[in-house]
Amino acid sequence: MLDHNKIYNPLSNFNKAINKLSANGIRPTKQRMILAKLLFEKGKRHISAEDLFDEVREEDRKISLATIYNTLKQFTSLGLIREIVVDQNKSLYCTNKESHYHLYIEDENKVIDIPTKNIDLNIPSIPACLKLHDVDVIVRIRTLKEKYKN
Amino acid sequence: MLDHNKIYNPLSNFNKAINKLSANGIRPTKQRMILAKLLFEKGKRHISAEDLFDEVREEDRKISLATIYNTLKQFTSLGLIREIVVDQNKSLYCTNKESHYHLYIEDENKVIDIPTKNIDLNIPSIPACLKLHDVDVIVRIRTLKEKYKN
DNA sequence: TTACATGCAAAGCATTTGCAGATAA
DNA sequence: TTATCTGCAAATGCTTTGCATGTAA
């Protein structure tokens, strides 16, 4: 059921997402709507499949992990969210639609958005013909002590 | 067995690596020596565990994958190589000891080093107290066509 | 009605771990 | 000798897939 917020805010990220789904012939099923709400009605997020799975349960609903993974992949293909690979055992999904990069603090397993203007890329080695589709920048910082001596 | 190259080039990356091993009480076993040779006597490389496994076999030797993974992890802890997580199912290990960042071309599964001077990081949001141990920057570019329409 | 979605369990895959046997010092 | 290392196979953990069932249009 629609609430007033959505009725009077036709350009919300949630509504844009739903529009994009139908524009691509993808059915607005119960599961997709629940996930879209969690992703797009809570501000900018960096969230994992497992996190979403838990949030769905907290609402006393249930969506299988497989469906969550498949939906996240689909939303990513549609450009509704961005996947950030922070380490080999975890992908996070980012709902910030503005142009930005990511700062990953390994010790805390935490991701912070960095405005694009804060990083100047000067990469003459990219062939001019490459026609970039997307550029992700992950700045990974560690504060760990060295484990071995010099 | 040592060859002339090593005898007369005491500052080679290979020798530095071996020195670091013994400085940390880590035995220069047959397996570690073979891996160190492959890593440090072939110039700058971006190589996976599986790649190394294959290269060892090409020399008609055999080191188990488990040992290769463990050794790579250990060399990384020692700071001899750097791990680059290019996607969730693959880590590459980089033998370039100079300060640099990484450009990952997803379509080609290829990594190129970027000199640090080509990227200006201006990240006021990092708390000053954090005392960075290391900063990895991965610029991930895609040239794929969009799969879905707008 | 029917093409598309979902959920479950099983499969996949890179990586890690437990442990018995091997090896360096 | 003995602490460390290696190799195998099994375990792990995230993610994907096959397929039977369910559902939107």
Side-chain angles (χ1 to χ4, degrees):
Chain A
M1 188 201 286
L2 293 177
D3 64 25
H4 285 283
N5 183 40
K6 264 164 275 158
I7 289 173
Y8 295 114
N9 182 8
L11 292 175
S12 71
N13 283 336
F14 176 84
N15 283 337
K16 283 191 213 160
I18 302 306
N19 289 344
K20 196 146 203 167
L21 290 186
S22 51
N24 285 280
I26 291 170
R27 294 173 181 166
T29 61
K30 191 159 45 101
Q31 290 85 345
R32 288 186 183 127
M33 300 302 267
I34 292 171
L35 293 175
K37 278 189 180 218
L38 289 173
L39 288 169
F40 303 117
E41 294 196 332
K42 304 210 169 196
K44 298 170 186 174
R45 320 192 72 185
H46 302 105
I47 194 167
S48 69
E50 202 78 38
D51 293 337
L52 272 175
F53 183 75
D54 293 340
E55 290 196 1
V56 172
R57 307 210 90 188
E58 280 163 21
E59 298 192 343
D60 294 320
R61 306 190 183 231
K62 174 74 191 305
I63 301 178
S64 76
L65 249 188
T67 296
I68 291 179
Y69 274 108
N70 292 337
T71 302
L72 285 171
K73 216 164 73 164
Q74 190 171 46
F75 282 11
T76 300
S77 293
L78 287 166
L80 297 174
I81 54 182
R82 277 168 71 180
E83 182 181 6
I84 357 174
V85 179
V86 291
D87 70 52
Q88 62 258 46
N89 282 325
K90 186 139 270 183
S91 278
L92 296 180
Y93 292 85
C94 170
T95 65
N96 182 352
K97 292 297 299 158
E98 288 153 39
S99 178
H100 68 286
Y101 299 137
H102 290 111
L103 177 67
Y104 178 54
I105 304 174
E106 291 196 342
D107 320 78
E108 303 175 24
N109 202 42
K110 191 176 168 190
V111 174
I112 296 173
D113 289 346
I114 308 172
T116 307
K117 67 176 168 51
N118 279 357
I119 296 182
D120 281 335
L121 295 179
N122 172 23
I123 309 166
S125 48
I126 296 180
C129 60
L130 258 186
K131 276 176 196 159
L132 300 188
H133 170 255
D134 203 2
V135 176
D136 284 349
V137 177
I138 301 183
V139 180
R140 186 174 320 225
I141 71 177
R142 269 183 295 264
T143 57
L144 292 173
K145 310 289 167 278
E146 288 227 29
K147 194 170 174 184
Y148 294 93
K149 67 183 178 185
N150 193 46
Chain B
M1 187 200 286
L2 292 178
D3 64 25
H4 285 282
N5 183 42
K6 266 163 276 159
I7 289 173
Y8 294 115
N9 182 10
L11 292 176
S12 71
N13 283 335
F14 176 84
N15 283 338
K16 283 190 212 160
I18 302 307
N19 289 344
K20 195 146 204 169
L21 290 186
S22 51
N24 285 280
I26 291 170
R27 294 173 180 165
T29 61
K30 191 160 45 102
Q31 291 84 346
R32 288 187 183 126
M33 300 302 266
I34 293 172
L35 293 175
K37 279 189 179 217
L38 289 173
L39 287 169
F40 303 118
E41 294 195 333
K42 303 210 170 195
K44 298 170 186 172
R45 319 192 72 185
H46 301 106
I47 196 167
S48 69
E50 202 79 38
D51 293 337
L52 272 175
F53 183 75
D54 292 340
E55 290 196 0
V56 172
R57 307 210 92 189
E58 280 163 21
E59 298 191 344
D60 294 319
R61 304 191 183 229
K62 173 73 191 303
I63 301 177
S64 77
L65 250 189
T67 295
I68 291 179
Y69 274 108
N70 291 338
T71 302
L72 286 172
K73 215 164 75 165
Q74 191 171 42
F75 282 11
T76 301
S77 293
L78 287 166
L80 298 174
I81 53 181
R82 277 168 72 181
E83 182 182 6
I84 351 174
V85 179
V86 291
D87 69 53
Q88 61 259 45
N89 281 325
K90 186 140 268 182
S91 279
L92 296 180
Y93 292 85
C94 170
T95 65
N96 182 352
K97 292 297 300 155
E98 287 153 41
S99 177
H100 68 287
Y101 299 137
H102 290 111
L103 177 67
Y104 177 54
I105 303 175
E106 291 197 341
D107 320 79
E108 304 176 24
N109 201 42
K110 190 176 168 189
V111 175
I112 296 173
D113 289 347
I114 307 173
T116 307
K117 66 176 168 53
N118 279 357
I119 296 182
D120 282 335
L121 295 180
N122 172 23
I123 309 167
S125 48
I126 295 181
C129 60
L130 258 186
K131 277 175 195 157
L132 299 188
H133 170 256
D134 202 4
V135 176
D136 284 349
V137 177
I138 301 183
V139 180
R140 183 170 321 205
I141 71 176
R142 270 182 295 264
T143 58
L144 292 173
K145 310 290 167 276
E146 287 226 30
K147 194 170 173 184
Y148 294 92
K149 67 182 178 186
N150 194 48

